[in-house]
Amino acid sequence: MDAIIDGDIASTRWTDWHTIPWAETFQGVRRLQIRIAKAAKDEDWRRVRFLQRLLVRSTTAKAVAVRRVTENQGRKTPGVDGVTWSTPTEKGRAITALETRGYRPKPLRRVHIPKANGGMRPLGIPTMKDRAMQALYWLALDPVAETRGDLNSYGFRSGRSTADAIAQCHNGLARKHSPEWVLEGDIKGCFDNISHEWLMRHVPMDKRVLLGWLKAGYVEGRTLFPTVAGTPQGGIISPTLANLVLDGMERLLKDSLPRRAKINFVRYADDFIVTGVSKEILEARVKPLIVGFLAERGLQLSVQKTKITHVTEGFDFLGWHVQKHVKENARKDFLRIVPSRRNAKAFYAKVRERLRELRGARQDDVIFALNPMIRGWGNYHRVVHASRPFARMDHQLWHALWRWAVRRHPTKGKRWVKRRYFRSNGSRDWLFQAEKYPLVRLSSISVGNHIKVRSDANPYDPKDETYFDERMTRRMGASLQGRRKLFWLWNRQEGLCPICAAKITKATGWHVHHVVWRGLWRFGSVRSNLQLLHPTCHAQLHARATKG
């Protein structure tokens, strides 16, 4: 069935979506991506272009691209054409429709989503075909971006996260002789103002396809608007393009300034910080270099959000407050990183708003709605010094839940309300708990130091594959904390889907599959009869069983 052609699988016998051999498909795509990364590291750009063309023309890569856009969270959201791919037949036809020749992107559907500061952020929604084409070219572009990216860039990159960015901040500021001044940088309208000319000159991909995406325009209120600058927020390839635009800033600063200036650079997407030994160096040397670097790309710093701060005054970065506390009698200074007041306030307001929406709901429904919110906020902040903020937030949440409970029963006494909604467990009282499900307490989430990703690690380098696998195991263990059965299954399978041999992650999602149908076996749900599968692989397995 599969003829190997220069690392690719020629799938001439695929009849429908459920006949695709996903294990061989993912392996073929990854082999080409590894070769692209090696050619980019060697700066052999002619070979990079050749391998990229080979990848985007392969049927295997097209299948992977279609699978990605039909599995992510936006799979049910249509573009301007109102089309989604939900059936196996539609997905199979989509693979053959991903052709570069004659391809013209459609305008984006513009919507607005709320920002953390209370404003609205424009979001462009491409059509399903445009999303799949972007996913296809992303497969060929991401190995180059990962190989050539700044060492301390952590946004929208494989195996990197905000936790790694804040850990690098700690590394650069926590020591006794660490720099004491910080430039907080924010790029004004980064995605909306990137120069199209710069992208066309420097992004290593098909220029005609790239130009089509950049000039596609957007539709808002049945009116078509042109795009003269920027990359659309909402496109799969947009974060990678933004990283390619901003990569090189760290190298410029390190090469232009002496080591005694104590320059440390940390960037996540368009937010970044730069440390320095003095305010004068940051103002007179660092800031002009950054302004010139951004001007070449059509960008500029935000005047309101860009400022220079002493580390003892503290600054906010990625939802955390970083501040060094100096004590006269202490042997060393202490760098404290906690959830920022703005972030905690926004989370509490979100919980209160949800409780207002659920003022007539049952206690079970309230717990079911709030637990993911509380667990998500806690897991995000568990990598910093969050014990006291967690206890304080637990107390605030208790007040909000008490008001919710009292409001539901205006004619009942407080003792009755307490017995109805709050329970005891050992020495702990006032636990908001239904018959089966307790509300998650933030203070029960373990707070520990995050192990930062190695700055020079590359997910497309075979020698780093084991390293990223070990980190994935630790992350899944943390995300599945409290769900021992799921983590046991995931660990038994070494994190791999038995059908496609690809990693099962929080991003891909999973289904629990019964090897022997539980209706045929009285012990159908015991661990030995269960497997974790990707949603697509689970559907494929049952489709094949039905046909068989």
Side-chain angles (χ1 to χ4, degrees), residues 138 142 146 154-161 164 243 453 457-460 468 475:
W138 177 87
D142 193 54
E146 286 290 340
Y154 298 97
F156 307 116
R157 296 184 63 187
S158 302
R160 287 167 168 79
S161 65
D164 297 309
N243 274 337
V453 67
N458 187 342
Y460 298 104
F468 279 105
R475 274 202 307 275

mmCIF file with all atom_site columns, all heavy atoms in Angstrom, residues 138 142 146 154-161 164 243 453 457-460 468 475:
data_model
loop_
_atom_site.group_PDB
_atom_site.id
_atom_site.type_symbol
_atom_site.label_atom_id
_atom_site.label_alt_id
_atom_site.label_comp_id
_atom_site.label_asym_id
_atom_site.label_entity_id
_atom_site.label_seq_id
_atom_site.pdbx_PDB_ins_code
_atom_site.Cartn_x
_atom_site.Cartn_y
_atom_site.Cartn_z
_atom_site.occupancy
_atom_site.B_iso_or_equiv
_atom_site.pdbx_formal_charge
_atom_site.auth_seq_id
_atom_site.auth_comp_id
_atom_site.auth_asym_id
_atom_site.auth_atom_id
_atom_site.pdbx_PDB_model_num
ATOM 1   N N   . TRP A 1 138 ? 2.274  25.255 7.665  1.00 0.00 ? 138 TRP A N   1
ATOM 2   C CA  . TRP A 1 138 ? 2.893  25.331 8.994  1.00 0.00 ? 138 TRP A CA  1
ATOM 3   C C   . TRP A 1 138 ? 3.770  24.114 9.247  1.00 0.00 ? 138 TRP A C   1
ATOM 4   O O   . TRP A 1 138 ? 4.840  24.233 9.870  1.00 0.00 ? 138 TRP A O   1
ATOM 5   C CB  . TRP A 1 138 ? 1.805  25.425 10.060 1.00 0.00 ? 138 TRP A CB  1
ATOM 6   C CG  . TRP A 1 138 ? 2.345  25.426 11.451 1.00 0.00 ? 138 TRP A CG  1
ATOM 7   C CD1 . TRP A 1 138 ? 2.766  26.497 12.186 1.00 0.00 ? 138 TRP A CD1 1
ATOM 8   C CD2 . TRP A 1 138 ? 2.546  24.276 12.300 1.00 0.00 ? 138 TRP A CD2 1
ATOM 9   N NE1 . TRP A 1 138 ? 3.211  26.099 13.426 1.00 0.00 ? 138 TRP A NE1 1
ATOM 10  C CE2 . TRP A 1 138 ? 3.080  24.748 13.524 1.00 0.00 ? 138 TRP A CE2 1
ATOM 11  C CE3 . TRP A 1 138 ? 2.311  22.921 12.147 1.00 0.00 ? 138 TRP A CE3 1
ATOM 12  C CZ2 . TRP A 1 138 ? 3.397  23.893 14.573 1.00 0.00 ? 138 TRP A CZ2 1
ATOM 13  C CZ3 . TRP A 1 138 ? 2.631  22.059 13.201 1.00 0.00 ? 138 TRP A CZ3 1
ATOM 14  C CH2 . TRP A 1 138 ? 3.154  22.547 14.393 1.00 0.00 ? 138 TRP A CH2 1
ATOM 15  N N   . ASP A 1 142 ? 7.350  25.409 10.503 1.00 0.00 ? 142 ASP A N   1
ATOM 16  C CA  . ASP A 1 142 ? 7.674  25.360 11.926 1.00 0.00 ? 142 ASP A CA  1
ATOM 17  C C   . ASP A 1 142 ? 9.067  24.791 12.210 1.00 0.00 ? 142 ASP A C   1
ATOM 18  O O   . ASP A 1 142 ? 9.744  25.287 13.122 1.00 0.00 ? 142 ASP A O   1
ATOM 19  C CB  . ASP A 1 142 ? 6.605  24.557 12.677 1.00 0.00 ? 142 ASP A CB  1
ATOM 20  C CG  . ASP A 1 142 ? 6.699  24.736 14.176 1.00 0.00 ? 142 ASP A CG  1
ATOM 21  O OD1 . ASP A 1 142 ? 6.680  25.903 14.633 1.00 0.00 ? 142 ASP A OD1 1
ATOM 22  O OD2 . ASP A 1 142 ? 6.801  23.727 14.905 1.00 0.00 ? 142 ASP A OD2 1
ATOM 23  N N   . GLU A 1 146 ? 11.597 26.873 14.620 1.00 0.00 ? 146 GLU A N   1
ATOM 24  C CA  . GLU A 1 146 ? 12.150 26.306 15.843 1.00 0.00 ? 146 GLU A CA  1
ATOM 25  C C   . GLU A 1 146 ? 13.677 26.290 15.815 1.00 0.00 ? 146 GLU A C   1
ATOM 26  O O   . GLU A 1 146 ? 14.326 26.502 16.837 1.00 0.00 ? 146 GLU A O   1
ATOM 27  C CB  . GLU A 1 146 ? 11.613 24.888 16.064 1.00 0.00 ? 146 GLU A CB  1
ATOM 28  C CG  . GLU A 1 146 ? 10.172 24.824 16.531 1.00 0.00 ? 146 GLU A CG  1
ATOM 29  C CD  . GLU A 1 146 ? 10.006 25.323 17.956 1.00 0.00 ? 146 GLU A CD  1
ATOM 30  O OE1 . GLU A 1 146 ? 11.002 25.359 18.705 1.00 0.00 ? 146 GLU A OE1 1
ATOM 31  O OE2 . GLU A 1 146 ? 8.875  25.699 18.320 1.00 0.00 ? 146 GLU A OE2 1
ATOM 32  N N   . TYR A 1 154 ? 9.381  32.010 24.117 1.00 0.00 ? 154 TYR A N   1
ATOM 33  C CA  . TYR A 1 154 ? 8.601  30.905 24.651 1.00 0.00 ? 154 TYR A CA  1
ATOM 34  C C   . TYR A 1 154 ? 7.156  30.869 24.169 1.00 0.00 ? 154 TYR A C   1
ATOM 35  O O   . TYR A 1 154 ? 6.439  29.934 24.492 1.00 0.00 ? 154 TYR A O   1
ATOM 36  C CB  . TYR A 1 154 ? 8.613  30.963 26.187 1.00 0.00 ? 154 TYR A CB  1
ATOM 37  C CG  . TYR A 1 154 ? 9.997  30.826 26.763 1.00 0.00 ? 154 TYR A CG  1
ATOM 38  C CD1 . TYR A 1 154 ? 10.734 31.950 27.123 1.00 0.00 ? 154 TYR A CD1 1
ATOM 39  C CD2 . TYR A 1 154 ? 10.580 29.577 26.926 1.00 0.00 ? 154 TYR A CD2 1
ATOM 40  C CE1 . TYR A 1 154 ? 12.022 31.832 27.639 1.00 0.00 ? 154 TYR A CE1 1
ATOM 41  C CE2 . TYR A 1 154 ? 11.861 29.446 27.440 1.00 0.00 ? 154 TYR A CE2 1
ATOM 42  C CZ  . TYR A 1 154 ? 12.579 30.580 27.792 1.00 0.00 ? 154 TYR A CZ  1
ATOM 43  O OH  . TYR A 1 154 ? 13.850 30.450 28.287 1.00 0.00 ? 154 TYR A OH  1
ATOM 44  N N   . GLY A 1 155 ? 6.712  31.849 23.420 1.00 0.00 ? 155 GLY A N   1
ATOM 45  C CA  . GLY A 1 155 ? 5.322  31.894 23.000 1.00 0.00 ? 155 GLY A CA  1
ATOM 46  C C   . GLY A 1 155 ? 5.061  31.115 21.725 1.00 0.00 ? 155 GLY A C   1
ATOM 47  O O   . GLY A 1 155 ? 5.813  31.244 20.741 1.00 0.00 ? 155 GLY A O   1
ATOM 48  N N   . PHE A 1 156 ? 3.994  30.315 21.706 1.00 0.00 ? 156 PHE A N   1
ATOM 49  C CA  . PHE A 1 156 ? 3.540  29.590 20.520 1.00 0.00 ? 156 PHE A CA  1
ATOM 50  C C   . PHE A 1 156 ? 4.637  28.691 19.938 1.00 0.00 ? 156 PHE A C   1
ATOM 51  O O   . PHE A 1 156 ? 4.828  28.618 18.732 1.00 0.00 ? 156 PHE A O   1
ATOM 52  C CB  . PHE A 1 156 ? 3.048  30.564 19.445 1.00 0.00 ? 156 PHE A CB  1
ATOM 53  C CG  . PHE A 1 156 ? 2.015  31.525 19.933 1.00 0.00 ? 156 PHE A CG  1
ATOM 54  C CD1 . PHE A 1 156 ? 2.269  32.883 19.964 1.00 0.00 ? 156 PHE A CD1 1
ATOM 55  C CD2 . PHE A 1 156 ? 0.787  31.080 20.393 1.00 0.00 ? 156 PHE A CD2 1
ATOM 56  C CE1 . PHE A 1 156 ? 1.317  33.769 20.419 1.00 0.00 ? 156 PHE A CE1 1
ATOM 57  C CE2 . PHE A 1 156 ? -0.168 31.957 20.855 1.00 0.00 ? 156 PHE A CE2 1
ATOM 58  C CZ  . PHE A 1 156 ? 0.101  33.321 20.866 1.00 0.00 ? 156 PHE A CZ  1
ATOM 59  N N   . ARG A 1 157 ? 5.369  28.021 20.832 1.00 0.00 ? 157 ARG A N   1
ATOM 60  C CA  . ARG A 1 157 ? 6.412  27.106 20.387 1.00 0.00 ? 157 ARG A CA  1
ATOM 61  C C   . ARG A 1 157 ? 6.206  25.746 21.036 1.00 0.00 ? 157 ARG A C   1
ATOM 62  O O   . ARG A 1 157 ? 5.749  25.651 22.178 1.00 0.00 ? 157 ARG A O   1
ATOM 63  C CB  . ARG A 1 157 ? 7.805  27.649 20.742 1.00 0.00 ? 157 ARG A CB  1
ATOM 64  C CG  . ARG A 1 157 ? 8.153  28.935 20.039 1.00 0.00 ? 157 ARG A CG  1
ATOM 65  C CD  . ARG A 1 157 ? 9.568  29.372 20.364 1.00 0.00 ? 157 ARG A CD  1
ATOM 66  N NE  . ARG A 1 157 ? 10.552 28.406 19.896 1.00 0.00 ? 157 ARG A NE  1
ATOM 67  C CZ  . ARG A 1 157 ? 11.859 28.502 20.178 1.00 0.00 ? 157 ARG A CZ  1
ATOM 68  N NH1 . ARG A 1 157 ? 12.306 29.508 20.922 1.00 0.00 ? 157 ARG A NH1 1
ATOM 69  N NH2 . ARG A 1 157 ? 12.702 27.594 19.719 1.00 0.00 ? 157 ARG A NH2 1
ATOM 70  N N   . SER A 1 158 ? 6.556  24.702 20.304 1.00 0.00 ? 158 SER A N   1
ATOM 71  C CA  . SER A 1 158 ? 6.355  23.329 20.794 1.00 0.00 ? 158 SER A CA  1
ATOM 72  C C   . SER A 1 158 ? 7.185  23.085 22.043 1.00 0.00 ? 158 SER A C   1
ATOM 73  O O   . SER A 1 158 ? 8.389  23.370 22.065 1.00 0.00 ? 158 SER A O   1
ATOM 74  C CB  . SER A 1 158 ? 6.755  22.326 19.711 1.00 0.00 ? 158 SER A CB  1
ATOM 75  O OG  . SER A 1 158 ? 6.012  22.537 18.530 1.00 0.00 ? 158 SER A OG  1
ATOM 76  N N   . GLY A 1 159 ? 6.541  22.553 23.085 1.00 0.00 ? 159 GLY A N   1
ATOM 77  C CA  . GLY A 1 159 ? 7.253  22.199 24.303 1.00 0.00 ? 159 GLY A CA  1
ATOM 78  C C   . GLY A 1 159 ? 7.629  23.358 25.177 1.00 0.00 ? 159 GLY A C   1
ATOM 79  O O   . GLY A 1 159 ? 8.383  23.191 26.144 1.00 0.00 ? 159 GLY A O   1
ATOM 80  N N   . ARG A 1 160 ? 7.128  24.572 24.881 1.00 0.00 ? 160 ARG A N   1
ATOM 81  C CA  . ARG A 1 160 ? 7.432  25.755 25.688 1.00 0.00 ? 160 ARG A CA  1
ATOM 82  C C   . ARG A 1 160 ? 6.138  26.400 26.165 1.00 0.00 ? 160 ARG A C   1
ATOM 83  O O   . ARG A 1 160 ? 5.103  26.261 25.531 1.00 0.00 ? 160 ARG A O   1
ATOM 84  C CB  . ARG A 1 160 ? 8.277  26.755 24.894 1.00 0.00 ? 160 ARG A CB  1
ATOM 85  C CG  . ARG A 1 160 ? 9.727  26.290 24.704 1.00 0.00 ? 160 ARG A CG  1
ATOM 86  C CD  . ARG A 1 160 ? 10.443 27.115 23.662 1.00 0.00 ? 160 ARG A CD  1
ATOM 87  N NE  . ARG A 1 160 ? 11.873 26.886 23.655 1.00 0.00 ? 160 ARG A NE  1
ATOM 88  C CZ  . ARG A 1 160 ? 12.481 25.858 23.102 1.00 0.00 ? 160 ARG A CZ  1
ATOM 89  N NH1 . ARG A 1 160 ? 11.745 24.942 22.483 1.00 0.00 ? 160 ARG A NH1 1
ATOM 90  N NH2 . ARG A 1 160 ? 13.791 25.718 23.151 1.00 0.00 ? 160 ARG A NH2 1
ATOM 91  N N   . SER A 1 161 ? 6.217  27.131 27.260 1.00 0.00 ? 161 SER A N   1
ATOM 92  C CA  . SER A 1 161 ? 5.015  27.690 27.864 1.00 0.00 ? 161 SER A CA  1
ATOM 93  C C   . SER A 1 161 ? 5.356  28.940 28.658 1.00 0.00 ? 161 SER A C   1
ATOM 94  O O   . SER A 1 161 ? 6.531  29.324 28.784 1.00 0.00 ? 161 SER A O   1
ATOM 95  C CB  . SER A 1 161 ? 4.360  26.656 28.796 1.00 0.00 ? 161 SER A CB  1
ATOM 96  O OG  . SER A 1 161 ? 5.221  26.378 29.885 1.00 0.00 ? 161 SER A OG  1
ATOM 97  N N   . ASP A 1 164 ? 7.806  28.348 31.494 1.00 0.00 ? 164 ASP A N   1
ATOM 98  C CA  . ASP A 1 164 ? 9.228  28.415 31.145 1.00 0.00 ? 164 ASP A CA  1
ATOM 99  C C   . ASP A 1 164 ? 9.712  29.859 31.099 1.00 0.00 ? 164 ASP A C   1
ATOM 100 O O   . ASP A 1 164 ? 10.832 30.168 31.500 1.00 0.00 ? 164 ASP A O   1
ATOM 101 C CB  . ASP A 1 164 ? 9.470  27.740 29.797 1.00 0.00 ? 164 ASP A CB  1
ATOM 102 C CG  . ASP A 1 164 ? 9.137  26.262 29.816 1.00 0.00 ? 164 ASP A CG  1
ATOM 103 O OD1 . ASP A 1 164 ? 9.635  25.566 30.717 1.00 0.00 ? 164 ASP A OD1 1
ATOM 104 O OD2 . ASP A 1 164 ? 8.365  25.813 28.947 1.00 0.00 ? 164 ASP A OD2 1
ATOM 105 N N   . ASN A 1 243 ? 6.482  35.000 15.299 1.00 0.00 ? 243 ASN A N   1
ATOM 106 C CA  . ASN A 1 243 ? 7.758  34.611 15.903 1.00 0.00 ? 243 ASN A CA  1
ATOM 107 C C   . ASN A 1 243 ? 8.917  34.829 14.939 1.00 0.00 ? 243 ASN A C   1
ATOM 108 O O   . ASN A 1 243 ? 9.996  35.280 15.338 1.00 0.00 ? 243 ASN A O   1
ATOM 109 C CB  . ASN A 1 243 ? 7.704  33.145 16.332 1.00 0.00 ? 243 ASN A CB  1
ATOM 110 C CG  . ASN A 1 243 ? 7.109  32.959 17.717 1.00 0.00 ? 243 ASN A CG  1
ATOM 111 O OD1 . ASN A 1 243 ? 7.116  33.882 18.535 1.00 0.00 ? 243 ASN A OD1 1
ATOM 112 N ND2 . ASN A 1 243 ? 6.599  31.783 17.991 1.00 0.00 ? 243 ASN A ND2 1
ATOM 113 N N   . VAL A 1 453 ? 12.422 24.449 30.406 1.00 0.00 ? 453 VAL A N   1
ATOM 114 C CA  . VAL A 1 453 ? 12.892 23.769 29.218 1.00 0.00 ? 453 VAL A CA  1
ATOM 115 C C   . VAL A 1 453 ? 14.296 24.265 28.860 1.00 0.00 ? 453 VAL A C   1
ATOM 116 O O   . VAL A 1 453 ? 14.641 25.438 29.090 1.00 0.00 ? 453 VAL A O   1
ATOM 117 C CB  . VAL A 1 453 ? 11.923 24.010 28.040 1.00 0.00 ? 453 VAL A CB  1
ATOM 118 C CG1 . VAL A 1 453 ? 11.932 25.467 27.595 1.00 0.00 ? 453 VAL A CG1 1
ATOM 119 C CG2 . VAL A 1 453 ? 12.236 23.093 26.870 1.00 0.00 ? 453 VAL A CG2 1
ATOM 120 N N   . ALA A 1 457 ? 17.009 23.349 23.228 1.00 0.00 ? 457 ALA A N   1
ATOM 121 C CA  . ALA A 1 457 ? 16.338 22.105 22.822 1.00 0.00 ? 457 ALA A CA  1
ATOM 122 C C   . ALA A 1 457 ? 15.448 22.359 21.614 1.00 0.00 ? 457 ALA A C   1
ATOM 123 O O   . ALA A 1 457 ? 14.755 23.375 21.537 1.00 0.00 ? 457 ALA A O   1
ATOM 124 C CB  . ALA A 1 457 ? 15.513 21.549 23.981 1.00 0.00 ? 457 ALA A CB  1
ATOM 125 N N   . ASN A 1 458 ? 15.467 21.410 20.678 1.00 0.00 ? 458 ASN A N   1
ATOM 126 C CA  . ASN A 1 458 ? 14.700 21.543 19.443 1.00 0.00 ? 458 ASN A CA  1
ATOM 127 C C   . ASN A 1 458 ? 13.813 20.309 19.272 1.00 0.00 ? 458 ASN A C   1
ATOM 128 O O   . ASN A 1 458 ? 14.317 19.182 19.204 1.00 0.00 ? 458 ASN A O   1
ATOM 129 C CB  . ASN A 1 458 ? 15.655 21.671 18.244 1.00 0.00 ? 458 ASN A CB  1
ATOM 130 C CG  . ASN A 1 458 ? 14.932 21.980 16.944 1.00 0.00 ? 458 ASN A CG  1
ATOM 131 O OD1 . ASN A 1 458 ? 13.731 21.782 16.818 1.00 0.00 ? 458 ASN A OD1 1
ATOM 132 N ND2 . ASN A 1 458 ? 15.677 22.474 15.968 1.00 0.00 ? 458 ASN A ND2 1
ATOM 133 N N   . PRO A 1 459 ? 12.488 20.471 19.216 1.00 0.00 ? 459 PRO A N   1
ATOM 134 C CA  . PRO A 1 459 ? 11.609 19.300 19.073 1.00 0.00 ? 459 PRO A CA  1
ATOM 135 C C   . PRO A 1 459 ? 11.781 18.557 17.761 1.00 0.00 ? 459 PRO A C   1
ATOM 136 O O   . PRO A 1 459 ? 11.266 17.443 17.617 1.00 0.00 ? 459 PRO A O   1
ATOM 137 C CB  . PRO A 1 459 ? 10.204 19.908 19.187 1.00 0.00 ? 459 PRO A CB  1
ATOM 138 C CG  . PRO A 1 459 ? 10.360 21.345 18.836 1.00 0.00 ? 459 PRO A CG  1
ATOM 139 C CD  . PRO A 1 459 ? 11.731 21.724 19.284 1.00 0.00 ? 459 PRO A CD  1
ATOM 140 N N   . TYR A 1 460 ? 12.478 19.153 16.785 1.00 0.00 ? 460 TYR A N   1
ATOM 141 C CA  . TYR A 1 460 ? 12.710 18.489 15.505 1.00 0.00 ? 460 TYR A CA  1
ATOM 142 C C   . TYR A 1 460 ? 14.123 17.922 15.400 1.00 0.00 ? 460 TYR A C   1
ATOM 143 O O   . TYR A 1 460 ? 14.561 17.533 14.320 1.00 0.00 ? 460 TYR A O   1
ATOM 144 C CB  . TYR A 1 460 ? 12.452 19.462 14.352 1.00 0.00 ? 460 TYR A CB  1
ATOM 145 C CG  . TYR A 1 460 ? 11.026 19.941 14.306 1.00 0.00 ? 460 TYR A CG  1
ATOM 146 C CD1 . TYR A 1 460 ? 10.687 21.219 14.742 1.00 0.00 ? 460 TYR A CD1 1
ATOM 147 C CD2 . TYR A 1 460 ? 10.007 19.120 13.856 1.00 0.00 ? 460 TYR A CD2 1
ATOM 148 C CE1 . TYR A 1 460 ? 9.369  21.660 14.709 1.00 0.00 ? 460 TYR A CE1 1
ATOM 149 C CE2 . TYR A 1 460 ? 8.690  19.545 13.830 1.00 0.00 ? 460 TYR A CE2 1
ATOM 150 C CZ  . TYR A 1 460 ? 8.383  20.821 14.256 1.00 0.00 ? 460 TYR A CZ  1
ATOM 151 O OH  . TYR A 1 460 ? 7.076  21.247 14.231 1.00 0.00 ? 460 TYR A OH  1
ATOM 152 N N   . PHE A 1 468 ? 12.123 15.715 25.381 1.00 0.00 ? 468 PHE A N   1
ATOM 153 C CA  . PHE A 1 468 ? 10.764 16.244 25.303 1.00 0.00 ? 468 PHE A CA  1
ATOM 154 C C   . PHE A 1 468 ? 9.736  15.201 25.744 1.00 0.00 ? 468 PHE A C   1
ATOM 155 O O   . PHE A 1 468 ? 8.690  15.562 26.300 1.00 0.00 ? 468 PHE A O   1
ATOM 156 C CB  . PHE A 1 468 ? 10.469 16.728 23.880 1.00 0.00 ? 468 PHE A CB  1
ATOM 157 C CG  . PHE A 1 468 ? 11.023 18.090 23.584 1.00 0.00 ? 468 PHE A CG  1
ATOM 158 C CD1 . PHE A 1 468 ? 12.154 18.244 22.803 1.00 0.00 ? 468 PHE A CD1 1
ATOM 159 C CD2 . PHE A 1 468 ? 10.413 19.222 24.087 1.00 0.00 ? 468 PHE A CD2 1
ATOM 160 C CE1 . PHE A 1 468 ? 12.663 19.509 22.530 1.00 0.00 ? 468 PHE A CE1 1
ATOM 161 C CE2 . PHE A 1 468 ? 10.918 20.491 23.824 1.00 0.00 ? 468 PHE A CE2 1
ATOM 162 C CZ  . PHE A 1 468 ? 12.048 20.634 23.050 1.00 0.00 ? 468 PHE A CZ  1
ATOM 163 N N   . ARG A 1 475 ? 4.330  16.780 32.517 1.00 0.00 ? 475 ARG A N   1
ATOM 164 C CA  . ARG A 1 475 ? 3.196  17.697 32.322 1.00 0.00 ? 475 ARG A CA  1
ATOM 165 C C   . ARG A 1 475 ? 1.866  16.965 32.385 1.00 0.00 ? 475 ARG A C   1
ATOM 166 O O   . ARG A 1 475 ? 0.906  17.451 32.988 1.00 0.00 ? 475 ARG A O   1
ATOM 167 C CB  . ARG A 1 475 ? 3.318  18.417 30.971 1.00 0.00 ? 475 ARG A CB  1
ATOM 168 C CG  . ARG A 1 475 ? 4.156  19.669 31.030 1.00 0.00 ? 475 ARG A CG  1
ATOM 169 C CD  . ARG A 1 475 ? 3.827  20.609 29.877 1.00 0.00 ? 475 ARG A CD  1
ATOM 170 N NE  . ARG A 1 475 ? 3.913  19.959 28.590 1.00 0.00 ? 475 ARG A NE  1
ATOM 171 C CZ  . ARG A 1 475 ? 5.031  19.827 27.889 1.00 0.00 ? 475 ARG A CZ  1
ATOM 172 N NH1 . ARG A 1 475 ? 6.167  20.272 28.377 1.00 0.00 ? 475 ARG A NH1 1
ATOM 173 N NH2 . ARG A 1 475 ? 5.019  19.235 26.718 1.00 0.00 ? 475 ARG A NH2 1
#
